[in-house]
Amino acid sequence: MPSYRAPVEDTLFLLNDVLDYASHAELPGFEEATPDLVEAILTEGGKFAAEIAQPLNLSGDQEGCKRSEDGTVTPPKGFKAAYDAFCEGGWGTLSADPEYGGQGLPHTLATAFNEYLSSANMAFAMYPGLTAGAIAAITLHGSDEQKALYLPKMIAGTWTGTMNLTEPHCGTDLGLLRTKAVPQADGSYKISGTKIFISAGEHDMSENIVHLVIARIEGAPAGTKGISLFVVPKFLPDADGNPGERNGVSCGALEHKMGIHGNATCVMNYDGATGWLVGEENKGLRAMFTMMNEARLGVAVQGLAQSEVAYQNAVAYAKDRLQGRALTGTKEADKAADPIIVHPDIRRILMQIRSFNIGARALVLWTALHGDKAHRSPDEKARQHSEDMMGLMTPVLKGVLTDTGFANAVNAQQVFGGHGYIAEWGMDQFVRDARIAMIYEGANGIQALDLVGRKLPANGGRAVMALFNEVKEFGKANKDDDALKAFIQPLKTGVDHLQQATMWFMQNGMKNPDNAGAGSTDYMHLFGLVAIGYMWAKIAKVINAKLADGSASNEAELKAMLAFGTFYMERLMPETAAHLARISSGCETMMSVEADLF
Amino acid sequence: MPSYRAPVEDTLFLLNDVLDYASHAELPGFEEATPDLVEAILTEGGKFAAEIAQPLNLSGDQEGCKRSEDGTVTPPKGFKAAYDAFCEGGWGTLSADPEYGGQGLPHTLATAFNEYLSSANMAFAMYPGLTAGAIAAITLHGSDEQKALYLPKMIAGTWTGTMNLTEPHCGTDLGLLRTKAVPQADGSYKISGTKIFISAGEHDMSENIVHLVIARIEGAPAGTKGISLFVVPKFLPDADGNPGERNGVSCGALEHKMGIHGNATCVMNYDGATGWLVGEENKGLRAMFTMMNEARLGVAVQGLAQSEVAYQNAVAYAKDRLQGRALTGTKEADKAADPIIVHPDIRRILMQIRSFNIGARALVLWTALHGDKAHRSPDEKARQHSEDMMGLMTPVLKGVLTDTGFANAVNAQQVFGGHGYIAEWGMDQFVRDARIAMIYEGANGIQALDLVGRKLPANGGRAVMALFNEVKEFGKANKDDDALKAFIQPLKTGVDHLQQATMWFMQNGMKNPDNAGAGSTDYMHLFGLVAIGYMWAKIAKVINAKLADGSASNEAELKAMLAFGTFYMERLMPETAAHLARISSGCETMMSVEADLF
């Protein structure tokens, strides 16, 4: 049976020692969130994940969700009780607005907890995860009445939420959507159409489900300029704000999918359902976009989360499984064979995963802190800079952490040999669950285009130039530090490659946008490698200082972490050159073939 | 619904034009296998795969195999009838020994057909696939009586076969096995023990199942030196050689696994089952090893096969799915959106897969031809050279084609967006089925160790030096061919990297074997990239000649193929430098971390 333990010490080390969490103390919400409180919350959160959510992961995968003929949907056994415990523990309230019952703590904290919950049970974590997305939409775009009606219940978790975008013929290209909204005399709308791939679309875990739906108001312009956002509750709130009459929305079918079986992925039928406009008419797509940074960061965390839990189980297996002898001679003569962790090729796999996970976790927290600063800093310039960093890093994190998180889960599965292919060991679930994160909330190819086509050129390249400067300043400031050489030099090479690639796009992407498209995915991964490499250099500097002044009580652990970082530099960073070569080869070859000759 | 069409023209082009199949005409078995006959067989074989086996692929995955309480196992609906058609068509007899009812045709031909069958339905293809392995074992090591008793029925397919190696506590390290064989007065043995992961272990598709089982004869030495091979039929043959009394072997359970649901993967219980020694006592492991080249080539082909069928379906979807507009402006104004194949990032995925598939198919056929020559050439030196090439390339093909084949299936799935995650589209099955090929028949890490630890140093490096010379001679002979420059130069760089890596192992692997282990997987992939790059250079030379002399009726197709090859050189070959960098970083970092600090 797979197991999980939340990496709370790693999170705290990154927050406190590497990212200097304490320096944010004067921001709203941070004053209360002292390092002690953060530690207490993450420790409790880790326990909730490991003790309540994780034991339901494998059984939830095997049992799946069931739809009855009347359209009701039952999640796997234990999910409802675990969700009740989630609400009782207030886990959905961490960073929510205190005006509506939230705790107003930093979103960074919620992000760290989300990693634990997604590692423990990704399908379960999606129920409150989707609710958080819906809360954000109403918070940003809803009227005061809508906020008062919906937010307290959604933040408490008694009502859950969903996002309804995709239709059978339109996923990436939302301009093609057909769901209709017909205005009614009372100011409401009648919504009709079919939405697919709706996570947590129907279930019995909450009193009500608040669907956020994009649709086209009768007579609205074609394409993306005629899309509006609506709130469509499963039960229409009565005069007291309690669930009343059943609305005309129902689950028509559950999708049969590769993974996340514990989450009810629904085909939702809107049959003249009553909905209310959220925000302005025809500004629905913009409303969706403002929420996307947060949602995409959440999906990035899912990639990291599956990578982490797969890693933990692979390590346990590698220490336990006896098979063959070390290449350098027997290590455990009293056993029939050595544990397979003695083999370099097994260590290669494990170190590749963990060296990525630590660096990726640092980058997630770095970005989440910028997210908090973007919302909470009193200084406009600081807010803008943090907004820039958040916007720039979001597609990188979403694309790279989910692509690599999946690849890592596959590698971790490989450690198990044939047992990795057998359901009861749980490794194939991590792979199948991780796979969706590369697809939803904007497939990773779309993330790459967002990075290259939108985030790079925005404001004359202000964000990317600021980041490059920050990394180069770090390099300059530490260039004579011999103890950091193994980090600074590969980082410098990586940044050079990234800058050359950026330059290449500026010179060739304008001439022919296909040149940008042809290199976008490689660029995203090149960017991710360098950004995580930068995190590792920062981590290494902190560790070196701790080791040098003898202040550390965990010297062996710190030295091991340094080895993981060195591994990252030696074994992952060399990929930057290959990305640059691919980017520089341009679009000519790939555009030269007629579609019929593929 | 997924579809499949066998790439017969590609196979024929590679065999006839690139690999000069006709020049082998004087080898036994090749005289009858004229190009015309080859075309006829592959065309019919492609039809069998596409029309009989493929329609059962998705349904077989969804239905799976069922075990009744009495231990009988029922494969998915339609499998038995399809298997009867397979036997009637004589598809298992292609390259089998004519003395026992085979057609004696080149094994290369059977290999090409196996690709089609595995693309169409991998789980189905494994039933005859395992039989072929068992046939090889009996052919190579069985007594004349055993051959006469078993081979005709197994070649005809009325009896199927299995390979029983793995036990719960021993997979890679067969020295740990516990299954016991007790000699009986009549010369037979009583076999007792439990074997797991036994593909096609129990089913009702054939009259009898011939289990080949490794076990330890009572009193035999510990470790791998005490392993013997036995034949244990499900029904003991009676005096006429027909299935008689039920033997003491049964299926204790079916494994619940990630994919290949249509194949019955069994826990097999041997409870004093009657078996007969195959070959010599305590030489069982050697007997297994002699069969492994063939079996591993078969698994390599599965990787290619899943990559090919996933590609075909991704192309069809990319041409059909309308979403967004081309970056360079609307391409199909009369439609609501452009087909997604206009997008460079989609083409990147598709070309990456197809450029790999064509080159990998060439390398499979090149290796299979060497396999045929190793068995059939009248010239001892030629046999030895072909044996060298076959031995060298086997772990490379097994490791690289299955790793990359899986990655390609994942990429092809990505083209479908959310639909790729939904079972009915069939893409997730390709991914799940492809996954096992990286694990069984020696996990890919073991292939890499076999390459670096055994195949490279064998006979003073004779095989690898011969191959390097062949590739370099090709480079030299074509260095002034401007039309081939885009192929020769990257190939030269790749060979240089491969030679540097080889040299690095020679210098550092002796000093510390962990240096070899730490770089083995990268070396295997570096080797594969260069070997496939060599195939592409050969292909490009042939195409250039055809285009230059105007002899080609399919100029557009050839130019497109050249573009796929160019893509390979531009986009896949840059990886060789990254592999070299990783190899050269050695084992120090990864061995420095104590197991407890992972």
Side-chain angles (χ1 to χ4, degrees):
Chain A
M1 284 284 290
S3 65
Y4 174 68
R5 193 182 154 276
V8 177
E9 321 81 60
D10 282 4
T11 308
L12 292 174
F13 170 71
L14 293 171
L15 274 180
N16 294 327
D17 296 297
V18 180
L19 300 173
D20 200 10
Y21 174 82
S23 71
H24 301 74
E26 74 292 355
L27 297 183
F30 281 71
E31 19 346 41
E32 307 98 81
T34 59
D36 283 353
L37 183 73
V38 168
E39 181 170 351
I41 289 179
L42 291 183
T43 303
E44 282 307 304
K47 268 192 210 163
F48 178 86
E51 294 171 13
I52 307 293
Q54 196 274 341
L56 302 173
N57 193 40
L58 186 61
S59 58
D61 179 63
Q62 292 177 348
E63 186 186 339
C65 297
K66 289 190 185 63
R67 178 183 174 278
S68 302
E69 293 223 349
D70 63 1
T72 58
V73 172
T74 314
K77 273 187 209 70
F79 271 44
K80 189 170 177 359
Y83 184 70
D84 289 344
F86 177 93
C87 295
E88 271 167 44
W91 292 110
T93 69
L94 287 180
S95 62
D97 190 341
E99 201 183 326
Y100 302 104
Q103 300 184 55
L105 294 167
H107 191 62
T108 304
L109 206 56
T111 302
F113 170 69
N114 282 343
E115 186 206 316
Y116 306 162
L117 196 63
S118 290
S119 278
N121 194 328
M122 181 165 149
F124 175 82
M126 290 171 67
Y127 291 96
L130 267 293
T131 305
I135 289 171
I138 294 174
T139 303
L140 285 167
H141 304 285
S143 65
D144 288 343
E145 289 77 10
Q146 288 171 338
K147 290 185 199 177
L149 177 58
Y150 294 107
L151 290 184
K153 294 197 157 106
M154 294 173 77
I155 288 169
T158 45
W159 293 11
T160 56
T162 74
M163 304 299 303
N164 290 243
L165 284 74
T166 307
E167 301 181 7
H169 56 283
C170 91
T172 299
D173 187 354
L174 291 171
L176 301 174
L177 79 81
R178 293 179 191 151
T179 297
K180 268 196 188 129
V182 181
Q184 306 295 304
D186 65 356
S188 72
Y189 291 79
K190 290 289 182 198
I191 314 282
S192 299
T194 300
K195 296 285 182 178
I196 61 171
F197 304 158
I198 306 309
S199 301
E202 175 58 31
H203 55 81
D204 59 5
M205 286 160 55
S206 58
E207 293 173 7
N208 202 357
I209 302 176
V210 181
H211 303 291
L212 285 169
V213 183
I214 55 170
R216 202 181 297 282
I217 297 175
E218 243 185 357
T224 54
K225 287 176 187 157
I227 295 176
S228 303
L229 180 65
F230 298 88
V231 58
V232 186
K234 175 179 168 184
F235 294 103
L236 296 169
D238 65 16
D240 301 324
N242 293 318
E245 194 188 336
R246 187 73 162 80
N247 203 352
V249 47
S250 61
C251 167
L254 290 178
E255 310 275 8
H256 301 102
K257 52 201 196 296
M258 186 179 187
I260 49 168
H261 293 159
N263 199 276
T265 309
C266 300
V267 176
M268 296 301 295
N269 295 327
Y270 291 85
D271 191 18
T274 300
W276 291 272
L277 187 66
V278 178
E280 293 175 58
E281 267 187 35
N282 300 337
K283 297 281 167 66
L285 204 63
R286 199 185 298 169
M288 301 305 299
F289 270 114
T290 54
M291 298 158 29
M292 276 191 184
N293 277 350
E294 200 169 308
R296 288 178 172 179
L297 186 61
V299 175
V301 166
Q302 293 181 332
L304 167 61
Q306 293 308 297
S307 181
E308 173 67 28
V309 68
Y311 170 80
Q312 290 188 14
N313 284 279
V315 168
Y317 189 83
K319 288 186 201 167
D320 189 57
R321 174 79 170 171
L322 306 177
Q323 208 78 178
R325 291 296 183 186
L327 295 171
T328 51
T330 296
K331 295 286 179 265
E332 308 207 4
D334 57 325
K335 293 186 176 151
D338 289 335
I340 61 174
I341 201 165
V342 303
H343 301 301
D345 195 59
I346 296 290
R347 287 172 167 251
R348 172 189 63 81
I349 292 175
L350 297 177
M351 293 193 82
Q352 188 170 322
I353 306 176
R354 180 147 164 79
S355 74
F356 179 84
N357 288 356
I358 296 172
R361 184 174 296 119
L363 190 60
V364 163
L365 296 172
W366 181 90
T367 306
L369 277 171
H370 273 302
D372 277 323
K373 282 187 270 191
H375 289 115
R376 305 182 187 204
S377 176
D379 176 47
E380 199 197 319
K381 255 193 117 163
R383 282 202 308 273
Q384 187 197 69
H385 172 69
S386 283
E387 184 73 43
D388 280 356
M389 292 302 105
M390 173 88 183
L392 181 64
M393 214 54 93
T394 296
V396 174
L397 284 170
K398 199 285 184 178
V400 174
L401 268 59
T402 62
D403 275 357
T404 311
F406 172 77
N408 287 349
V410 171
N411 271 331
Q413 182 188 28
Q414 189 74 12
V415 171
F416 285 68
H419 300 286
Y421 202 65
I422 305 298
E424 69 196 76
W425 290 86
M427 298 305 288
D428 91 301
Q429 183 187 359
F430 301 143
V431 171
R432 290 182 290 102
D433 285 359
R435 183 66 184 89
I436 189 59
M438 299 156 71
I439 298 173
Y440 60 19
E441 206 63 54
N444 285 355
I446 299 299
Q447 305 299 325
L449 277 182
D450 177 46
L451 173 65
V452 169
R454 204 172 293 144
K455 300 294 169 62
L456 270 195
N459 306 304
R462 187 178 67 204
V464 73
M465 282 190 295
L467 181 70
F468 289 171
N469 280 340
E470 178 176 334
V471 180
K472 290 172 98 171
E473 285 304 320
F474 181 90
K476 262 188 229 159
N478 295 285
K479 75 173 165 25
D480 299 325
D481 183 349
D482 273 354
L484 216 55
K485 218 165 147 183
F487 291 81
I488 296 298
Q489 287 194 341
L491 180 61
K492 187 179 178 319
T493 306
V495 175
D496 284 350
H497 291 155
L498 182 56
Q499 286 195 299
Q500 286 174 52
T502 310
M503 190 69 78
W504 194 92
F505 280 139
M506 282 161 61
Q507 287 165 348
N508 300 280
M510 306 275 203
K511 265 188 289 186
N512 181 354
D514 281 341
N515 274 320
S520 52
T521 290
D522 276 292
Y523 187 81
M524 177 178 78
H525 280 280
L526 169 52
F527 208 109
L529 280 168
V530 172
I532 293 174
Y534 172 48
M535 292 299 121
W536 262 120
K538 287 166 80 80
I539 295 168
K541 189 179 159 77
V542 168
I543 293 177
N544 282 345
K546 278 179 180 275
L547 291 175
D549 71 11
S551 70
S553 60
N554 55 347
E555 219 173 270
E557 284 78 6
L558 290 175
K559 281 184 179 165
M561 197 182 271
L562 215 47
F564 284 103
T566 307
F567 185 96
Y568 184 92
M569 292 295 164
E570 289 174 348
R571 298 244 170 188
L572 277 76
M573 287 298 279
E575 202 62 31
T576 61
H579 287 305
L580 176 61
R582 285 194 278 267
I583 291 164
S584 314
S585 74
C587 71
E588 201 184 324
T589 303
M590 65 172 82
M591 301 314 289
S592 72
V593 179
E594 291 294 323
D596 285 344
L597 295 174
F598 270 80
Chain B
M1 284 284 289
S3 66
Y4 174 66
R5 192 182 155 276
V8 178
E9 321 81 59
D10 281 3
T11 308
L12 292 174
F13 170 72
L14 294 171
L15 274 181
N16 295 326
D17 296 297
V18 179
L19 300 173
D20 201 11
Y21 174 82
S23 72
H24 301 75
E26 74 291 355
L27 298 182
F30 280 71
E31 353 30 9
E32 306 98 79
T34 60
D36 282 355
L37 184 73
V38 169
E39 180 169 351
I41 289 177
L42 292 182
T43 304
E44 282 307 304
K47 267 192 209 165
F48 178 86
E51 293 171 12
I52 307 292
Q54 195 276 338
L56 302 173
N57 193 41
L58 186 61
S59 57
D61 179 63
Q62 293 178 347
E63 187 185 337
C65 298
K66 288 187 186 64
R67 178 182 174 280
S68 301
E69 293 223 348
D70 62 1
T72 58
V73 172
T74 313
K77 272 188 209 71
F79 271 44
K80 188 170 178 358
Y83 183 70
D84 290 345
F86 178 92
C87 296
E88 271 166 43
W91 292 110
T93 70
L94 287 180
S95 62
D97 191 340
E99 202 182 326
Y100 302 104
Q103 299 185 56
L105 295 167
H107 191 64
T108 304
L109 206 55
T111 302
F113 170 69
N114 282 343
E115 185 206 317
Y116 305 163
L117 196 63
S118 290
S119 279
N121 193 328
M122 181 165 150
F124 175 81
M126 289 171 67
Y127 291 96
L130 267 295
T131 306
I135 289 171
I138 294 175
T139 302
L140 286 167
H141 304 285
S143 65
D144 287 343
E145 289 76 11
Q146 288 172 338
K147 289 185 199 178
L149 176 59
Y150 293 107
L151 291 184
K153 295 202 157 100
M154 294 173 78
I155 288 169
T158 45
W159 294 11
T160 55
T162 74
M163 305 299 303
N164 289 243
L165 284 73
T166 308
E167 301 181 6
H169 55 283
C170 92
T172 297
D173 188 353
L174 291 171
L176 301 173
L177 79 81
R178 293 178 192 152
T179 297
K180 268 198 189 130
V182 181
Q184 305 296 303
D186 65 356
S188 71
Y189 291 79
K190 291 289 181 200
I191 314 284
S192 299
T194 299
K195 297 286 182 178
I196 61 171
F197 303 159
I198 307 308
S199 301
E202 175 58 31
H203 56 81
D204 59 4
M205 284 162 56
S206 58
E207 293 173 5
N208 202 356
I209 301 176
V210 180
H211 302 291
L212 285 168
V213 183
I214 57 170
R216 202 181 297 282
I217 296 174
E218 246 186 352
T224 55
K225 285 174 187 158
I227 295 176
S228 304
L229 179 65
F230 298 89
V231 57
V232 186
K234 173 179 169 185
F235 294 103
L236 297 169
D238 64 18
D240 301 323
N242 293 318
E245 194 188 333
R246 188 72 164 79
N247 202 355
V249 47
S250 61
C251 167
L254 291 178
E255 311 275 9
H256 299 104
K257 52 199 196 298
M258 185 181 190
I260 49 167
H261 293 158
N263 199 277
T265 308
C266 301
V267 176
M268 296 302 294
N269 296 327
Y270 291 84
D271 191 17
T274 300
W276 290 273
L277 187 67
V278 178
E280 294 175 56
E281 269 185 31
N282 300 337
K283 296 283 166 66
L285 205 63
R286 198 186 299 170
M288 302 305 300
F289 269 115
T290 54
M291 300 159 28
M292 277 190 182
N293 277 349
E294 203 169 304
R296 289 177 171 180
L297 185 61
V299 176
V301 166
Q302 293 180 334
L304 167 61
Q306 293 308 299
S307 180
E308 172 67 30
V309 68
Y311 170 79
Q312 289 188 15
N313 284 279
V315 168
Y317 189 83
K319 288 184 198 170
D320 190 56
R321 174 78 170 174
L322 306 178
Q323 207 79 179
R325 291 296 184 185
L327 296 170
T328 51
T330 296
K331 295 286 179 263
E332 308 207 5
D334 56 326
K335 292 182 177 155
D338 289 335
I340 60 174
I341 201 166
V342 303
H343 300 302
D345 195 58
I346 295 291
R347 288 174 165 249
R348 173 189 63 79
I349 292 176
L350 297 176
M351 292 193 82
Q352 188 171 322
I353 307 176
R354 181 148 165 75
S355 74
F356 179 84
N357 288 356
I358 297 173
R361 185 174 294 118
L363 190 60
V364 163
L365 296 172
W366 181 91
T367 306
L369 276 172
H370 273 302
D372 277 323
K373 282 188 271 192
H375 289 115
R376 306 182 186 205
S377 175
D379 176 47
E380 199 197 318
K381 256 193 112 160
R383 283 203 306 274
Q384 188 197 70
H385 172 69
S386 283
E387 184 73 42
D388 280 355
M389 291 301 105
M390 174 88 183
L392 182 64
M393 214 54 92
T394 295
V396 175
L397 283 169
K398 199 288 185 176
V400 175
L401 268 60
T402 61
D403 275 357
T404 312
F406 172 76
N408 287 349
V410 171
N411 271 329
Q413 182 188 26
Q414 190 73 11
V415 170
F416 284 69
H419 300 288
Y421 203 65
I422 304 298
E424 69 195 77
W425 289 86
M427 299 304 289
D428 90 301
Q429 183 187 359
F430 301 142
V431 171
R432 290 183 289 102
D433 286 359
R435 183 67 185 88
I436 189 58
M438 298 156 70
I439 299 173
Y440 61 19
E441 205 63 55
N444 286 354
I446 298 298
Q447 305 299 325
L449 277 183
D450 177 47
L451 174 65
V452 169
R454 205 172 293 144
K455 301 295 169 64
L456 270 196
N459 306 302
R462 188 178 69 203
V464 73
M465 283 190 294
L467 181 70
F468 289 172
N469 280 339
E470 179 177 332
V471 179
K472 290 173 100 172
E473 285 303 320
F474 182 90
K476 264 187 224 159
N478 295 286
K479 75 173 166 24
D480 299 326
D481 183 348
D482 273 355
L484 215 57
K485 218 164 144 182
F487 290 81
I488 296 298
Q489 288 194 340
L491 179 59
K492 188 180 177 318
T493 305
V495 175
D496 284 349
H497 291 156
L498 182 56
Q499 286 194 299
Q500 287 174 52
T502 310
M503 191 71 76
W504 194 91
F505 280 139
M506 282 162 60
Q507 287 165 347
N508 300 281
M510 307 275 202
K511 264 187 290 187
N512 182 353
D514 279 341
N515 274 321
S520 53
T521 290
D522 276 292
Y523 186 80
M524 176 177 78
H525 279 281
L526 169 52
F527 208 109
L529 280 168
V530 172
I532 293 175
Y534 172 47
M535 292 298 122
W536 262 119
K538 287 167 79 81
I539 295 168
K541 188 179 159 77
V542 168
I543 293 177
N544 282 345
K546 277 181 181 274
L547 291 175
D549 72 10
S551 70
S553 60
N554 56 345
E555 219 173 271
E557 284 79 5
L558 289 176
K559 283 184 177 163
M561 197 182 273
L562 214 49
F564 284 103
T566 307
F567 184 95
Y568 184 91
M569 294 295 165
E570 289 174 349
R571 298 243 170 189
L572 277 76
M573 287 297 278
E575 201 63 30
T576 60
H579 287 305
L580 176 61
R582 286 193 278 266
I583 291 164
S584 314
S585 75
C587 71
E588 202 185 321
T589 303
M590 64 173 84
M591 301 315 288
S592 72
V593 179
E594 291 294 324
D596 285 344
L597 295 174
F598 271 80

